[in-house]
Amino acid sequence: DRLEERAPHYNALVTLTRARALKQAKKAEHDIALSKYRGPLHGIPWGAKDLLATSGGIPTSWGAKPFKEQAFQYDATVVKKLDQAGAVLSAKLAMIELAGGMGYRQPNASLTGPCKSPWDKNTWAGGSSSGSGSAVGTGLVSFAIGSETWGSILSPANNCGVSGLRPTFGRVSRYGAMALSWSLDKIGPLCLSADDCGIVLNEIA
C-alpha cells in the first residue's frame, strides 16, 4: 500500500507486484513460524530494476514505452536467488530507458518520468537505476537491485543518499537482464547501509 501511494510522487514505480508479494510474504510468515528460517533476507521486501526478467505475467519494460507490456516466461537468476533466500519481490522499479544507452544525463528518458531524490524532489535520483535508489531512500523497499555499465548503481546511490555496491564484473549472474554492454554490465544492490549491501551480495553472488 505504501509503495502504491508514495512511489508515484517520486516516479519510482513501474509495476507493483502485489499478488506475487503477498503470496511470498504469506509463505515466509508460515515458514518462519515453523522455524524454517532461510536467512537474513527471509520475508524482507525488495524491488527490482525493470530490466530483470520476471515470470508470471509481470512486465519487464526496460524503461522504454515500446516495451511497456513485454513479458518473459522466466525469472532472471538474481530474482531466482532472492526467491530462494525468501525475499519478497514487491515492485519493478523505474530506470532510464534501455539502461541509459544514450548517456546518464537524461532524466526525462524514463517510462515514468524523471525519478526524484528522496531528499529533494527537485533533484534527479540519478541514472540509470533511478527507481532503485529512490525507492530505497524513501523507505518504500528495504533494498533494491540495480545494474551498472558505467555509473548506474553509483550515481543513484550518491544522489539518493544510500549505499550502492558495484560488484566485480561476473560476480553476479546477468542471465535474464537486458544487456547494454556484454563486457561491462554488472548487477548489484542498493541498500541503506554497506552492511546491508554485503548481506544481499552474499545471496545473489
Side-chain angles (χ1 to χ4, degrees), residues 120-138:
D120 180 2
K121 287 186 179 180
N122 295 312
T123 301
W124 183 35
S128 70
S129 305
S130 315
S132 296
S134 185
V136 170
T138 52

Side-chain angles (χ1 to χ4, degrees), residues 10 13-14 23 26 31 39 46 57 80 86 89 93 103 120 127 136 140 143 145 156 165 176-177 180 197:
Y10 296 89
L13 178 67
V14 179
K23 182 178 179 180
K26 286 176 182 176
D31 288 351
W46 71 284
K80 279 186 178 180
L89 177 61
L93 300 170
D120 180 2
V136 170
L140 298 175
F143 70 92
I145 298 297
L165 176 61
L180 178 58
C197 283

Side-chain angles (χ1 to χ4, degrees), residues 41 50-51 56 68 80 104 138 145 158 176-177 189 199:
L41 297 184
D50 202 24
L51 55 56
K68 186 177 179 181
K80 279 186 178 180
Y104 289 90
T138 52
I145 298 297
N158 174 77
I199 290 169

